[in-house]
Amino acid sequence: MTQIYNSSGGEIFSVGELEVVEKLLLENRSAFEYPPLCEYYRINASEIRLGVECPGCGVLGMLRTGKTWTCSSCRKRDRNAHKKAVDDYFWLINNKITNRDFQKFCMVDSIYAASRMLSNMDLQMHRAGGKTYYTRK
């Protein structure tokens, strides 16, 4: 494309040249990935407050009781509150999450509950050797 632009000398492109540019753009396109905000703004990930945010009152630290998250402040219950936390994790910390990362970030004790919650979300699972991680689809 740079060659076409430099060789044009400010002239208007022909239809053929535009088709070549279009073909190059389509062949070389890739999805844009935002860098995690902690990386972009050089914030240490350990400075991020952990826990699942209550959709009712905004307090961090909902507790997982059975299959439901319960807010210790306003007592609101939500089965899917962890989904927003995972989305926050992707925006803030990293573009992939492991079971252990999920447990730490959402303050979930059970490896099995964490695994079920992650596998039931709309995430892409990747297996690399003995390590499994999830990314956005």
PDB file of all heavy atoms in Angstrom, residues 5 16 28 36 39 45 64 83 88 94-95 98 109 117 135:
ATOM      1  N   TYR A   5       0.866   4.266  -2.683  1.00  0.00           N
ATOM      2  CA  TYR A   5       0.673   5.663  -2.296  1.00  0.00           C
ATOM      3  C   TYR A   5       1.859   6.516  -2.751  1.00  0.00           C
ATOM      4  O   TYR A   5       1.676   7.585  -3.330  1.00  0.00           O
ATOM      5  CB  TYR A   5       0.489   5.775  -0.780  1.00  0.00           C
ATOM      6  CG  TYR A   5       0.334   7.207  -0.310  1.00  0.00           C
ATOM      7  CD1 TYR A   5      -0.867   7.868  -0.483  1.00  0.00           C
ATOM      8  CD2 TYR A   5       1.392   7.878   0.281  1.00  0.00           C
ATOM      9  CE1 TYR A   5      -1.014   9.187  -0.074  1.00  0.00           C
ATOM     10  CE2 TYR A   5       1.260   9.182   0.698  1.00  0.00           C
ATOM     11  CZ  TYR A   5       0.050   9.843   0.521  1.00  0.00           C
ATOM     12  OH  TYR A   5      -0.094  11.139   0.921  1.00  0.00           O
ATOM     13  N   GLY A  16      -8.571  -0.187 -10.528  1.00  0.00           N
ATOM     14  CA  GLY A  16      -7.701  -1.358 -10.388  1.00  0.00           C
ATOM     15  C   GLY A  16      -6.790  -1.246  -9.175  1.00  0.00           C
ATOM     16  O   GLY A  16      -6.586  -2.217  -8.445  1.00  0.00           O
ATOM     17  N   ASN A  28      -4.756  -9.175   4.920  1.00  0.00           N
ATOM     18  CA  ASN A  28      -3.863  -8.932   6.052  1.00  0.00           C
ATOM     19  C   ASN A  28      -4.562  -8.408   7.297  1.00  0.00           C
ATOM     20  O   ASN A  28      -3.899  -7.992   8.243  1.00  0.00           O
ATOM     21  CB  ASN A  28      -2.762  -7.944   5.644  1.00  0.00           C
ATOM     22  CG  ASN A  28      -1.865  -8.532   4.579  1.00  0.00           C
ATOM     23  OD1 ASN A  28      -1.303  -9.595   4.767  1.00  0.00           O
ATOM     24  ND2 ASN A  28      -1.764  -7.861   3.442  1.00  0.00           N
ATOM     25  N   PRO A  36      -4.636  -5.093  28.118  1.00  0.00           N
ATOM     26  CA  PRO A  36      -5.254  -4.903  29.431  1.00  0.00           C
ATOM     27  C   PRO A  36      -4.874  -3.531  30.001  1.00  0.00           C
ATOM     28  O   PRO A  36      -3.753  -3.051  29.802  1.00  0.00           O
ATOM     29  CB  PRO A  36      -4.652  -6.033  30.271  1.00  0.00           C
ATOM     30  CG  PRO A  36      -4.221  -7.058  29.279  1.00  0.00           C
ATOM     31  CD  PRO A  36      -3.819  -6.296  28.050  1.00  0.00           C
ATOM     32  N   GLU A  39      -1.703  -3.124  32.054  1.00  0.00           N
ATOM     33  CA  GLU A  39      -0.503  -3.096  31.231  1.00  0.00           C
ATOM     34  C   GLU A  39      -0.359  -1.739  30.547  1.00  0.00           C
ATOM     35  O   GLU A  39       0.714  -1.143  30.548  1.00  0.00           O
ATOM     36  CB  GLU A  39      -0.593  -4.208  30.184  1.00  0.00           C
ATOM     37  CG  GLU A  39       0.544  -4.273  29.200  1.00  0.00           C
ATOM     38  CD  GLU A  39       0.309  -5.324  28.139  1.00  0.00           C
ATOM     39  OE1 GLU A  39      -0.199  -6.410  28.477  1.00  0.00           O
ATOM     40  OE2 GLU A  39       0.606  -5.053  26.961  1.00  0.00           O
ATOM     41  N   ALA A  45      -1.037  -5.242  38.912  1.00  0.00           N
ATOM     42  CA  ALA A  45      -2.300  -5.985  39.058  1.00  0.00           C
ATOM     43  C   ALA A  45      -2.646  -6.245  40.519  1.00  0.00           C
ATOM     44  O   ALA A  45      -3.814  -6.403  40.860  1.00  0.00           O
ATOM     45  CB  ALA A  45      -2.221  -7.301  38.294  1.00  0.00           C
ATOM     46  N   ARG A  64     -20.309 -16.672  47.357  1.00  0.00           N
ATOM     47  CA  ARG A  64     -20.908 -17.753  46.577  1.00  0.00           C
ATOM     48  C   ARG A  64     -21.537 -18.748  47.544  1.00  0.00           C
ATOM     49  O   ARG A  64     -20.850 -19.356  48.350  1.00  0.00           O
ATOM     50  CB  ARG A  64     -19.829 -18.432  45.735  1.00  0.00           C
ATOM     51  CG  ARG A  64     -20.343 -19.501  44.816  1.00  0.00           C
ATOM     52  CD  ARG A  64     -20.956 -18.919  43.594  1.00  0.00           C
ATOM     53  NE  ARG A  64     -21.378 -19.994  42.678  1.00  0.00           N
ATOM     54  CZ  ARG A  64     -22.034 -19.785  41.580  1.00  0.00           C
ATOM     55  NH1 ARG A  64     -22.343 -18.556  41.226  1.00  0.00           N
ATOM     56  NH2 ARG A  64     -22.386 -20.773  40.814  1.00  0.00           N
ATOM     57  N   LYS A  83     -19.880 -13.269  35.827  1.00  0.00           N
ATOM     58  CA  LYS A  83     -19.628 -12.974  34.412  1.00  0.00           C
ATOM     59  C   LYS A  83     -19.077 -11.564  34.233  1.00  0.00           C
ATOM     60  O   LYS A  83     -18.168 -11.342  33.437  1.00  0.00           O
ATOM     61  CB  LYS A  83     -20.897 -13.175  33.584  1.00  0.00           C
ATOM     62  CG  LYS A  83     -21.297 -14.640  33.499  1.00  0.00           C
ATOM     63  CD  LYS A  83     -22.529 -14.843  32.655  1.00  0.00           C
ATOM     64  CE  LYS A  83     -22.872 -16.320  32.559  1.00  0.00           C
ATOM     65  NZ  LYS A  83     -24.043 -16.571  31.721  1.00  0.00           N
ATOM     66  N   ASP A  88     -14.393  -7.871  33.595  1.00  0.00           N
ATOM     67  CA  ASP A  88     -13.494  -6.888  34.203  1.00  0.00           C
ATOM     68  C   ASP A  88     -12.056  -7.398  34.208  1.00  0.00           C
ATOM     69  O   ASP A  88     -11.122  -6.639  33.934  1.00  0.00           O
ATOM     70  CB  ASP A  88     -13.921  -6.567  35.645  1.00  0.00           C
ATOM     71  CG  ASP A  88     -15.226  -5.788  35.722  1.00  0.00           C
ATOM     72  OD1 ASP A  88     -15.660  -5.223  34.696  1.00  0.00           O
ATOM     73  OD2 ASP A  88     -15.824  -5.756  36.820  1.00  0.00           O
ATOM     74  N   ASN A  94      -5.625  -9.323  32.198  1.00  0.00           N
ATOM     75  CA  ASN A  94      -5.048 -10.174  31.160  1.00  0.00           C
ATOM     76  C   ASN A  94      -6.149 -10.582  30.186  1.00  0.00           C
ATOM     77  O   ASN A  94      -7.313 -10.629  30.560  1.00  0.00           O
ATOM     78  CB  ASN A  94      -4.436 -11.427  31.811  1.00  0.00           C
ATOM     79  CG  ASN A  94      -3.418 -12.118  30.933  1.00  0.00           C
ATOM     80  OD1 ASN A  94      -3.400 -11.954  29.728  1.00  0.00           O
ATOM     81  ND2 ASN A  94      -2.549 -12.905  31.554  1.00  0.00           N
ATOM     82  N   ASN A  95      -5.764 -10.915  28.956  1.00  0.00           N
ATOM     83  CA  ASN A  95      -6.770 -11.327  27.969  1.00  0.00           C
ATOM     84  C   ASN A  95      -7.026 -12.832  28.009  1.00  0.00           C
ATOM     85  O   ASN A  95      -7.747 -13.366  27.175  1.00  0.00           O
ATOM     86  CB  ASN A  95      -6.375 -10.885  26.565  1.00  0.00           C
ATOM     87  CG  ASN A  95      -5.027 -11.426  26.149  1.00  0.00           C
ATOM     88  OD1 ASN A  95      -4.419 -12.225  26.843  1.00  0.00           O
ATOM     89  ND2 ASN A  95      -4.540 -10.975  25.011  1.00  0.00           N
ATOM     90  N   THR A  98      -7.046 -18.328  33.804  1.00  0.00           N
ATOM     91  CA  THR A  98      -6.991 -19.728  34.193  1.00  0.00           C
ATOM     92  C   THR A  98      -7.977 -19.951  35.333  1.00  0.00           C
ATOM     93  O   THR A  98      -8.497 -18.994  35.919  1.00  0.00           O
ATOM     94  CB  THR A  98      -5.584 -20.125  34.669  1.00  0.00           C
ATOM     95  OG1 THR A  98      -5.270 -19.382  35.853  1.00  0.00           O
ATOM     96  CG2 THR A  98      -4.536 -19.879  33.589  1.00  0.00           C
ATOM     97  N   ASP A 109     -13.475 -20.511  46.501  1.00  0.00           N
ATOM     98  CA  ASP A 109     -12.624 -21.510  47.152  1.00  0.00           C
ATOM     99  C   ASP A 109     -12.525 -22.815  46.364  1.00  0.00           C
ATOM    100  O   ASP A 109     -11.481 -23.444  46.324  1.00  0.00           O
ATOM    101  CB  ASP A 109     -13.136 -21.819  48.564  1.00  0.00           C
ATOM    102  CG  ASP A 109     -13.020 -20.617  49.493  1.00  0.00           C
ATOM    103  OD1 ASP A 109     -12.095 -19.809  49.300  1.00  0.00           O
ATOM    104  OD2 ASP A 109     -13.870 -20.489  50.397  1.00  0.00           O
ATOM    105  N   MET A 117     -18.151 -22.761  36.482  1.00  0.00           N
ATOM    106  CA  MET A 117     -18.557 -21.411  36.096  1.00  0.00           C
ATOM    107  C   MET A 117     -17.852 -20.963  34.827  1.00  0.00           C
ATOM    108  O   MET A 117     -18.478 -20.383  33.930  1.00  0.00           O
ATOM    109  CB  MET A 117     -18.289 -20.426  37.240  1.00  0.00           C
ATOM    110  CG  MET A 117     -19.283 -20.546  38.375  1.00  0.00           C
ATOM    111  SD  MET A 117     -19.047 -19.284  39.634  1.00  0.00           S
ATOM    112  CE  MET A 117     -17.945 -20.134  40.741  1.00  0.00           C
ATOM    113  N   THR A 135     -10.268 -17.597  26.935  1.00  0.00           N
ATOM    114  CA  THR A 135     -10.220 -16.266  26.338  1.00  0.00           C
ATOM    115  C   THR A 135     -11.613 -15.904  25.841  1.00  0.00           C
ATOM    116  O   THR A 135     -12.489 -16.766  25.736  1.00  0.00           O
ATOM    117  CB  THR A 135      -9.240 -16.210  25.134  1.00  0.00           C
ATOM    118  OG1 THR A 135      -9.666 -17.155  24.159  1.00  0.00           O
ATOM    119  CG2 THR A 135      -7.812 -16.486  25.573  1.00  0.00           C
TER     120      THR A 135
END
